[in-house]
Amino acid sequence: VVYLLTDKHGLDHLHDLHNFIDVCFVAGGLGVKFENSGTAHTVRMWQGYRFREQTLSLLEAHVMLIGDDDFYFTCGMHIFALPDAAVGKDHPHAGYLLTEFNHYHLFESPTFKSGHTFSPDQESPRMRLSIRDDFLYKGQASFENPFGRIELKRISE
């Protein structure tokens, strides 16, 4: 077992992390687990990812989609130096919405402010953004996102 502790965030540092993981696998490692999101991967799964620019592989490798009694939400976006996202449990396509939102946020680098709107496509409803502290993991050191959390709420028609 090898533990790597780092306080570095963002795409610039992610390449070094991935190189370290690859070296561990060459040395006989069997898998990788990211404590900050709970995602885990076998060697085969990890090697199956294609970490090319602007693919969903980065999100799939590092970000977990989770649900509780009130929300569907993501955990792990802080590895990219970005806030996580959440949407109410009543949203019928929460996984799609959260994945598309995080993909857009990661690769298009918009400057979001509370009150801005987002829709993953023309057919989906618009969502109003509320930028907050990480209210879902407050005080849980491994999972709390220091960059906050963006709550997406459907705009009433």
XYZ file of all heavy atoms in Angstrom, residues 1 34 37 70 86 103 106 123 148:
68
model
N 0.848 -1.171 0.000
C 0.000 0.000 0.000
C 0.895 1.236 0.000
O 1.823 1.333 0.792
C -0.919 0.027 1.239
C -1.708 1.307 1.295
C -1.827 -1.176 1.238
N -8.977 6.917 -4.605
C -8.887 8.332 -4.268
C -9.763 8.586 -3.057
O -10.992 8.552 -3.152
C -9.305 9.209 -5.448
C -8.398 9.051 -6.634
C -8.748 8.215 -7.681
C -7.188 9.708 -6.677
C -7.895 8.045 -8.762
C -6.328 9.548 -7.751
C -6.679 8.710 -8.797
N -12.627 11.309 -3.024
C -13.907 11.144 -3.707
C -14.514 9.759 -3.492
O -15.701 9.572 -3.712
C -13.754 11.389 -5.209
O -12.953 10.370 -5.792
N -31.923 14.020 0.104
C -32.356 15.297 -0.451
C -31.717 15.681 -1.783
O -32.292 16.459 -2.540
C -32.059 16.419 0.553
C -32.759 16.197 1.884
O -33.966 15.899 1.872
O -32.084 16.300 2.925
N -24.540 20.033 -6.963
C -25.656 19.300 -6.368
C -26.955 19.742 -7.019
O -27.085 20.882 -7.454
C -25.717 19.556 -4.862
N -18.429 18.661 -16.670
C -17.617 18.599 -17.895
C -17.452 19.998 -18.482
O -16.347 20.414 -18.843
C -18.280 17.654 -18.898
C -17.471 17.404 -20.120
N -17.777 17.965 -21.327
C -16.364 16.647 -20.315
C -16.893 17.567 -22.231
N -16.030 16.778 -21.641
N -15.209 22.118 -16.142
C -13.812 21.717 -16.194
C -13.120 22.151 -17.484
O -12.017 22.689 -17.449
C -13.696 20.197 -16.028
C -12.298 19.587 -16.084
C -11.407 20.162 -15.001
C -12.396 18.068 -15.938
N -33.046 20.994 -25.013
C -34.300 20.382 -24.576
C -34.455 20.340 -23.056
O -35.562 20.197 -22.546
C -34.423 18.951 -25.123
C -34.639 18.885 -26.637
C -33.339 19.096 -27.410
O -32.278 18.633 -26.932
O -33.374 19.745 -28.466
N -15.990 24.839 -2.494
C -17.422 25.032 -2.347
C -18.251 24.033 -3.129
O -17.777 22.992 -3.569
